[in-house]
Amino acid sequence: MDARIAKRYARAAFSAAQKVGAVQAVEADLGALAELFEHPGAFRDFLLTPKLGRDAKVRLLSTRLQGQAHPLTFALLGLMLRKGRQAELPQVAEEFRTLRRESERVVFAQVASAEELGAQERDALVRSLERRVGKRIEPSFAVDPSLLGGVRVAIDNTVFDGSVRGSLQRLRRILEYDVLRQV
Amino acid sequence: MSTPNPSARNGSPAAAVLRTVVGLVLMAGGYYLSLHAAEIPWLSFQHTLEKQGIPLDLGITAATIGVFLILFPIIRFFYIAPLEAAIQERNTQLERTFSEAEELRSEMARLRSEYEERIAQTEADARAQIQQQIREAQQMRTQLMAEAAERAEELLARAREDIERERQKVLAELQLRVVDLSLAAAEKVVGANFDSEQNRKLVSEFIEKVEAAG
């Protein structure tokens, strides 16, 4: 898969969506479709099967997605089908989401915690992170029991690790460093 | 051996003339005495001796000596001179042979001396070379032994270093293993004893730290 192609499609779709004020709607449609595509099933088989021609796929999509997806989403998917780029749908959705965050000056944060965080904890954490990075945070919360306790936040290439497992790993690195330094 | 003078051997002309005159006198006188012996009184003893069985004729004897003196140069020319020449030649040949033998003996003595000197020199050279080879061999032996000892020491030191490195490595692996086991045990203990209250407390601390660190 070529990331440049996905970016090109996403940029065109995002620009068009901004003009018609349908960024959120298109992003939601693309996210849902990408999730459908990433899991084996009828939708994925339909998009990838060589038994149906491209025009036939576009016609079928128009009947099934009529009224359920934004017209811009349908137009984008139809274009990708005609160009044979339907396999890039998840990357296009991701790039579209990235472009939207960049335009809104929002950073994405993956928050993993050993237990489900309460609403207050989530809000406090998001506020704290926003003050820390100086940007608005768009969090994604997930539960990871392997953390044992605490929370770990990944923003772009930066990781804030407050988990028990992270502490143990840091302790392991310190001990290993001491041992190897003696050698 | 000395060579006789030819003039002395042949005699001077005066001596030859004197010898011829004396020979003629003796030949004529002897012949006269032989013819007139009976008439000469002091030759009567010849008759007595003849009776006793000893025939003696002094006249014939003197004539014979005279003839001999007259014929002596001829005898000397045809007999004595070639004989003397042959003897002289033989003497010369013998002298040359002796001389050559002496030269050969001297040459042999010289060669033997040279040979002995050469043998002695060769033996001395051989001894010197053998001594030199022995010294070089001893030096080489000493050098090889030193190198071998140095190499052995080096190998020993390297082996000690390898052993020490391997020991440190095993020790480190052991310590790392202890770290793994300790942390695995700590993980289990923490996992078993970490409750929700402690988790919330930890999350709260994290929130405060994240903000404070900014």
Side-chain angles (χ1 to χ4, degrees), chain A:
Chain A
M1 281 181 259
D2 194 341
R4 290 175 302 177
I5 293 171
K7 280 184 180 178
R8 204 176 301 151
Y9 278 95
R11 203 172 294 124
F14 184 74
S15 177
Q18 272 186 320
K19 285 177 183 171
V20 299
V23 172
Q24 287 188 345
V26 173
E27 183 183 348
D29 290 344
L30 286 175
L33 291 172
E35 194 173 353
L36 275 175
F37 183 81
E38 283 176 334
H39 294 89
F43 182 69
R44 179 184 177 86
D45 294 342
F46 163 72
L47 287 182
L48 296 180
T49 182
K51 294 177 182 174
L52 278 176
R54 294 173 179 177
D55 292 334
K57 288 181 182 177
V58 173
R59 280 197 301 274
L60 273 172
L61 270 179
S62 68
T63 57
R64 296 298 297 272
L65 294 179
Q66 194 72 38
Q68 296 186 24
H70 193 278
L72 194 55
T73 308
F74 172 72
L76 174 63
L77 195 56
L79 180 63
M80 291 175 69
L81 274 170
R82 287 192 189 94
K83 297 290 184 183
R85 298 293 185 183
Q86 62 272 30
E88 269 84 21
L89 183 59
Q91 285 73 37
V92 172
E94 186 59 35
E95 288 296 330
F96 190 94
R97 198 176 293 122
T98 303
L99 288 170
R100 195 263 304 162
R101 287 171 184 152
E102 286 176 355
S103 71
E104 294 178 355
R105 291 185 54 78
V106 171
V107 290
F108 178 64
Q110 284 182 310
V111 181
S113 57
E115 293 181 358
E116 185 76 32
L117 296 177
Q120 286 184 343
E121 287 176 323
R122 289 187 178 191
D123 290 342
L125 179 61
V126 169
R127 281 197 302 275
S128 178
L129 289 171
E130 284 176 343
R131 281 192 286 274
R132 173 66 188 270
V133 299
K135 290 182 181 175
R136 203 151 59 81
I137 294 290
E138 184 179 298
S140 167
F141 294 97
V143 175
D144 184 0
S146 70
L147 296 178
L148 299 175
V151 63
R152 186 178 61 199
V153 180
I155 300 174
D156 291 335
N157 294 325
T158 307
V159 175
F160 302 96
D161 196 344
S163 67
V164 173
R165 175 170 295 282
S167 299
L168 290 173
Q169 284 176 342
R170 284 193 291 278
L171 178 62
R172 178 192 299 274
R173 279 197 293 273
I174 291 169
L175 292 172
E176 286 177 350
Y177 175 74
D178 284 344
V179 168
L180 294 176
R181 194 177 58 178
Q182 288 174 3
V183 176

Side-chain angles (χ1 to χ4, degrees), chain A residues 115 128 131 150-151 165 172, chain B residues 180 183 187 199 206-207 211:
Chain A
E115 293 181 358
S128 178
R131 281 192 286 274
V151 63
R165 175 170 295 282
R172 178 192 299 274
Chain B
D180 283 343
L183 289 175
E187 194 175 307
N199 186 51
F206 175 74
I207 291 168
E211 192 174 348

Side-chain angles (χ1 to χ4, degrees), chain B residues 16-30:
Chain B
V17 171
L18 178 63
R19 192 168 51 241
T20 303
V21 171
V22 170
L24 287 172
V25 170
L26 285 174
M27 186 179 68

Side-chain angles (χ1 to χ4, degrees), chain B residues 27-37 39-40:
Chain B
M27 186 179 68
Y31 184 68
Y32 178 80
L33 288 176
S34 179
L35 289 178
H36 300 90
E39 298 169 3
I40 300 171

Side-chain angles (χ1 to χ4, degrees), chain B residues 126-141:
Chain B
R127 276 196 297 275
Q129 284 188 1
I130 288 169
Q131 292 298 325
Q132 180 66 22
Q133 293 293 331
I134 288 171
R135 278 195 297 275
E136 287 179 3
Q138 286 175 343
Q139 285 178 355
M140 196 177 291
R141 175 174 169 270

